Amino acid sequence: MNQEDKFKNVISHAKEYGFVFPSSEIYDGLSAVYDYGQLGAELKNNIKQYWWKSMVQMHENIVGIDSAIFMHPTTWKASGHVDAFNDPLIDNKDSKKRYRADVLVEDHIAKIEGKINKEVEKAAKRFGNSFDAEMFKQTNPRVAGYVAKIDAIEQRMKKCLDDGNLEDFKQLIIDEEIVDPISGSRNWTDVRQFNLMFSTEMGSTAEGANTIYLRPETAQGIFVNFLNVQKTGRMKIPFGIAQIGKAFRNEIVARQFIFRMREFEQMEMQFFVKPGTEMKWYEYWKAERMKWHLSLGIKESEYRFHDHIKMAHYANAAADIEFNFPFGFKELEGIHSRTDFDLKQHEMHSGKKLQYFDPEENKNYVPYVVETSIGLDRMFLAILSTAYEEETLEDGSTRTVLRLPAKMAPYKVAVLPLLKKDGLPEKAREVIDGLKGDFMCQYDEKDAIGRRYRRQDAIGTPFAITVDHQTLEDNTVTIRHRDSMKQERVAIEDVEAIVRKGVRG
Ligand code: ATP
């Protein structure tokens, strides 16, 4: 199955089993807005908990807050979002489709990268075992030409964006002969800037109402509370403030399911450090966040770092953790060294000091900040799409299985009476009652046992416990493992420990 088909199947699977629904579907949905269903909400909560635990519970010097979505409008003036939170957009006059100009250029670069990879593959076949790919890339004239071309395009795009030179941005697209992927035409409009913030009005009447914004990131809620938390929590630098919450962006092009949404959720942590130490902490958090991802047991080759060429207005170093989504490597998380930009801006606009008194240095300063920012919905998609598998079994039959990390699975245990009679349902209820205080459990007595196992495979339940006649005699059950489909007979009193061990991983 190719990746495109797999992605389609993941999307329909997510809907069929109650993970993700299009928002207000009975009215034909709302573009790039989604609802999480009964299983999606569980998976999402599990991701949040795992993140919160590893960031807040496991770090003595990190605390969590929950700030409001609405903030004083000056917040967004100070943060630079009113003036600079723009994407360059361009329309194709023939297809009438709208694109992000920078994404068109990035896709073009990806095509050139594809050509490099083809050359490398060809050469690898020609030279066999002695082939050194890195050496080849550096010395082969054709490949070197491609690399130089990519470099030149990236530099030119960066300059256009830095200088706000939108005419040259359009010229770059024309010079590179970039065509509309739908119509194949080069009939482009000019490039324009488009602000991504949603605005609304606060106050009951139109007169005197204030334009306020739906926050486009959760970070600013942390910055404006920096002193509140530092003072009340008696926090000593270095320390962090974490937050999980909704963010809103009027994305120009919103495709790819829950990858790019107009309403989404972020898990962010701002780490306040002594000026001059930020690069050390930037490297620390890059490594630490990658460790977090790998701790879920997803293959290392699915992740990579990507250093930014175009830095946001506030950053002096920035990298993405990219994930190999079904549509290729894309940003999953950002790690940014934000300097003292935000706190200084808020000092300037509010007229209030946002400084820390360092008892060791015996002086006040505005701390520097290293941020880790991950999209919850993107993490959800990463986990779901990696877990999804259509497996052919030894007997030639197939099953759809979600190989979710057990700690992420919506249900940890399914309890299944073999038959709907002979006291087996009652016994199964007894088993579930002993487990449901600790784990999400599902009871299912409908259909043949094989079909019930398949249903649990499809929603990623790691353990299925079957109660049969022998259970009534000796208090043992069979426990079936989702991934291996192996079954073992165990005492009911041992089930809890087995599940606990599996979930802890
Ligand atoms: P992109 O380049 O993909 O638009 P970004 O660089 O603007 O993303 P950040 O501002 O760094 O993203 O936001 C931090 C994280 O929030 C991202 O790594 C991503 O996981 C998530 N995120 C950003 N925009 C969206 C969106 N529209 N839908 C879902 N998640 C998003």
Side-chain angles (χ1 to χ4, degrees):
M1 189 176 17
N2 67 31
Q3 288 298 72
E4 204 174 306
D5 288 340
K6 180 178 170 186
F7 189 35
K8 277 192 198 137
N9 291 357
V10 168
I11 296 171
S12 54
H13 190 83
K15 183 167 174 223
E16 186 182 342
Y17 285 90
F19 284 91
V20 183
F21 306 124
S23 159
S24 27
E25 196 189 2
I26 56 168
Y27 297 105
D28 296 332
L30 183 66
S31 166
V33 185
Y34 289 90
D35 296 338
Y36 287 86
Q38 66 281 13
L39 295 188
E42 294 296 335
L43 172 52
K44 213 173 158 196
N45 275 338
N46 292 341
I47 300 172
K48 285 195 225 186
Q49 266 171 27
Y50 189 55
W51 183 87
W52 192 269
K53 230 182 194 170
S54 76
M55 299 301 269
V56 179
Q57 189 172 331
M58 301 299 284
H59 288 94
E60 282 174 29
N61 59 349
I62 300 181
V63 291
I65 64 165
D66 183 11
S67 71
I69 286 171
F70 290 144
M71 299 180 70
H72 192 284
T74 310
T75 310
W76 305 110
K77 190 76 196 152
S79 68
H81 283 83
V82 171
D83 297 319
F85 194 52
N86 302 316
D87 273 342
L89 75 83
I90 191 166
D91 294 276
N92 184 276
K93 292 183 196 160
D94 296 321
S95 70
K96 310 264 183 286
K97 287 276 172 206
R98 177 160 288 181
Y99 298 92
R100 259 174 67 177
D102 55 333
V103 173
L104 278 183
V105 174
E106 273 160 18
D107 289 348
H108 177 63
I109 290 173
K111 277 194 194 135
I112 305 175
E113 278 170 349
K115 286 184 190 166
I116 296 177
N117 292 340
K118 268 214 183 104
E119 293 289 336
V120 173
E121 271 169 34
K122 262 199 306 196
K125 269 195 203 135
R126 217 166 46 232
F127 293 113
N129 283 345
S130 61
F131 181 65
D132 179 341
E134 279 315 306
M135 178 74 93
F136 177 77
K137 277 192 203 164
Q138 282 164 25
T139 50
N140 180 278
R142 191 175 299 166
V143 171
Y146 288 142
V147 172
K149 192 171 164 61
I150 290 177
D151 210 36
I153 297 171
E154 284 181 339
Q155 292 303 331
R156 187 165 164 197
M157 179 160 82
K158 180 176 185 314
K159 190 160 172 17
C160 292
L161 291 169
D162 287 350
D163 300 349
N165 187 347
L166 300 180
E167 281 103 81
D168 195 47
F169 207 139
K170 181 180 181 185
Q171 198 54 46
L172 170 64
I173 289 173
I174 291 169
D175 292 348
E176 287 303 318
E177 304 184 344
I178 295 175
V179 298
D180 175 22
I182 295 173
S183 66
S185 115
R186 288 186 217 157
N187 194 4
W188 296 109
T189 63
D190 289 343
V191 177
R192 279 167 297 149
Q193 289 288 19
F194 175 80
N195 193 290
L196 299 182
M197 279 198 295
F198 283 101
S199 63
T200 184
E201 271 158 17
M202 194 167 226
S204 52
T205 57
E207 307 117 68
N210 252 331
T211 298
I212 56 166
Y213 298 99
L214 273 69
R215 66 180 178 198
E217 61 175 27
T218 59
Q220 297 305 324
I222 294 178
F223 293 128
V224 298
N225 279 299
F226 160 70
L227 263 196
N228 283 339
V229 174
Q230 191 271 322
K231 291 231 156 95
T232 56
R234 292 175 296 119
M235 308 302 290
K236 291 213 168 47
I237 271 181
F239 74 91
I241 305 178
Q243 158 152 254
I244 300 176
K246 290 266 183 170
F248 304 83
R249 294 183 189 179
N250 197 1
E251 298 281 0
I252 298 170
V253 187
R255 293 196 203 104
Q256 294 165 323
F257 193 38
I258 55 174
F259 179 80
R260 189 173 298 287
M261 300 156 91
R262 296 206 163 97
E263 172 179 343
F264 58 100
E265 215 160 337
Q266 289 184 316
M267 306 192 286
E268 296 198 300
M269 192 276 300
Q270 309 296 326
F271 200 69
F272 299 90
V273 305
K274 193 152 104 184
T277 65
E278 72 274 13
M279 281 305 149
K280 179 184 94 185
W281 288 110
Y282 170 69
E283 293 302 333
Y284 171 85
W285 281 110
K286 267 175 81 172
E288 200 63 14
R289 291 303 305 148
M290 187 58 102
K291 258 198 255 164
W292 182 85
H293 287 283
L294 298 179
S295 72
L296 283 170
I298 295 174
K299 278 200 302 240
E300 200 169 346
S301 56
E302 301 295 274
Y303 293 92
R304 71 180 188 197
F305 280 112
H306 169 79
D307 293 316
H308 282 206
I309 49 159
K310 181 205 158 207
M311 222 79 81
H313 54 274
Y314 48 75
N316 70 353
D320 296 336
I321 294 179
E322 293 189 337
F323 185 77
N324 190 11
F325 288 100
F327 36 85
F329 275 98
K330 294 271 184 241
E331 172 175 347
L332 167 61
E333 169 158 10
I335 294 116
H336 309 127
S337 172
R338 291 180 82 123
T339 67
D340 55 2
F341 175 86
D342 302 88
L343 291 179
K344 277 232 168 102
Q345 285 292 107
H346 288 305
E347 276 199 328
M348 204 168 84
H349 283 81
S350 68
K352 311 257 163 50
K353 277 214 175 326
L354 294 175
Q355 302 192 354
Y356 172 76
F357 176 74
D358 191 327
E360 278 162 29
E361 303 266 317
N362 199 24
K363 66 171 191 199
N364 285 302
Y365 55 76
V366 177
Y368 269 44
V369 173
V370 175
E371 160 187 85
T372 73
S373 172
I374 173 170
L376 175 54
D377 312 271
R378 286 190 190 176
M379 191 62 210
F380 185 107
L381 181 58
I383 290 179
L384 187 70
S385 57
T386 313
Y388 181 88
E389 196 178 318
E390 291 171 24
E391 189 185 26
T392 306
L393 303 174
E394 272 170 18
D395 64 1
S397 65
T398 58
R399 71 163 179 161
T400 301
V401 54
L402 284 187
R403 295 185 191 279
L404 296 169
K407 55 168 77 70
M408 293 296 164
Y411 289 107
K412 310 301 183 205
V413 188
V415 182
L416 319 169
L418 188 61
L419 299 174
K420 244 194 284 187
K421 56 182 187 186
D422 304 338
L424 299 184
E426 290 75 11
K427 189 72 186 170
R429 291 280 182 202
E430 241 175 61
V431 174
I432 214 168
D433 284 346
L435 294 170
K436 70 185 182 193
D438 295 306
F439 309 106
M440 283 291 295
C441 300
Q442 193 171 60
Y443 176 83
D444 189 5
E445 60 177 23
K446 193 167 179 293
D447 298 324
I449 194 77
R451 286 189 60 183
R452 281 183 270 167
Y453 285 149
R454 289 290 180 275
R455 274 205 290 271
Q456 296 303 327
D457 290 342
I459 62 172
T461 310
F463 300 104
I465 288 159
T466 305
V467 170
D468 56 18
H469 291 96
Q470 192 183 329
T471 311
L472 302 179
E473 285 160 25
D474 63 5
N475 268 327
T476 62
V477 289
T478 59
I479 184 160
R480 174 189 180 270
H481 300 264
R482 175 196 70 200
D483 293 345
S484 63
M485 300 198 297
K486 290 232 164 69
Q487 300 186 23
E488 52 181 332
R489 188 122 212 141
V490 301
I492 290 176
E493 60 186 26
D494 294 337
V495 169
E496 190 198 320
I498 295 172
V499 175
R500 195 173 294 285
K501 189 158 165 257
V503 170
R504 195 171 280 168

